[in-house]
Every structure is written in structure tokens, then in C-alpha cells.
Amino acid sequence: QVQLVESGGGLVQAGGSLRLSCAASGSFFRISTMGWYRQAPGKQRELVATITSSDTTNYADSVKGRFTISRANAKNTVYLQMNELKPEDTAVYYCNAEGVITTAWARENYWGQGTQVTVSS
């Protein structure tokens, strides 16, 4: 019932920039936190950045100062502005939404399908 749709991935040269978008939709879902995670081939999925309903942000040390997460006020949408991209940023980036299903007040986590980011040297 809850769907996350990501966009904005692609191929970019080292030092370039990309902007990822994620839109969450669904009925009876109240989002507390949205964020971005990434998974490189053969690696575990890791946190990139999160943003709460109160606009508190959290970043992985590896991206701090280069990436910026933001949230649209009008809808359940988050963005990840990625600057000064490095080859080690290459991964599938996944959008995540944490919240509650209001009909049952059950806390749930949802994941998008992922979008590929490839940074060439």
C-alpha cells in the first residue's frame, strides 16, 4: 500500500553532482523519518543520510560536507543532493521511509526499488 519511487540516478564523472528524489505515497501512513541508504556490489547496505519530521538530519561521515538531504514540506518527498562525487560513491541508492500505519498504529519501514549511481574516475 505504501510505495516509494526514486529517481535521479545515473552516470557521472568524479567531481560531478547528482540529485536524487524519492516520493512516498499511500493511505493511512504517517512518516516519521525518511532517508537514503546505499549498497555497493559485495557490500552491506549502509546509511547515507536521514531526515526526521522535525528536520533533524544525520549523515554518514563519508558523505558529510558533500551530500545534503532535504524534505519537501507539501508532500512526503525527500531529496539527496550529491556534490563532489567520488568513485567510491558508486552504489545502488535506496530510499527509506519509517512511520506508522494509522489504522493500526503499527510502526513500519518501507524501501524503494533503488536507483543506480555510478561515478567514473
Side-chain angles (χ1 to χ4, degrees), residues 12-18 66-67 82-87 89 119:
V12 66
Q13 295 284 329
S17 298
L18 285 173
R66 299 187 297 120
F67 292 7
M82 304 184 293
N83 298 324
E84 291 296 317
L85 284 162
K86 305 174 180 179
D89 295 319
V119 184

Side-chain angles (χ1 to χ4, degrees), residues 34-88:
M34 297 188 73
W36 292 94
Y37 296 73
R38 67 185 182 187
Q39 187 167 20
K43 305 293 184 180
Q44 294 183 347
R45 187 173 298 185
E46 64 176 357
L47 180 146
V48 177
T50 60
I51 185 167
T52 70
S53 59
S54 60
D55 292 325
T56 299
T57 58
N58 181 43
Y59 296 92
D61 289 340
S62 60
V63 307
K64 192 172 297 183
R66 299 187 297 120
F67 292 7
T68 302
I69 189 170
S70 61
R71 186 183 68 190
N73 293 327
K75 59 188 297 185
N76 292 322
T77 303
V78 292
Y79 307 95
L80 185 67
Q81 179 67 46
M82 304 184 293
N83 298 324
E84 291 296 317
L85 284 162
K86 305 174 180 179
E88 50 263 45

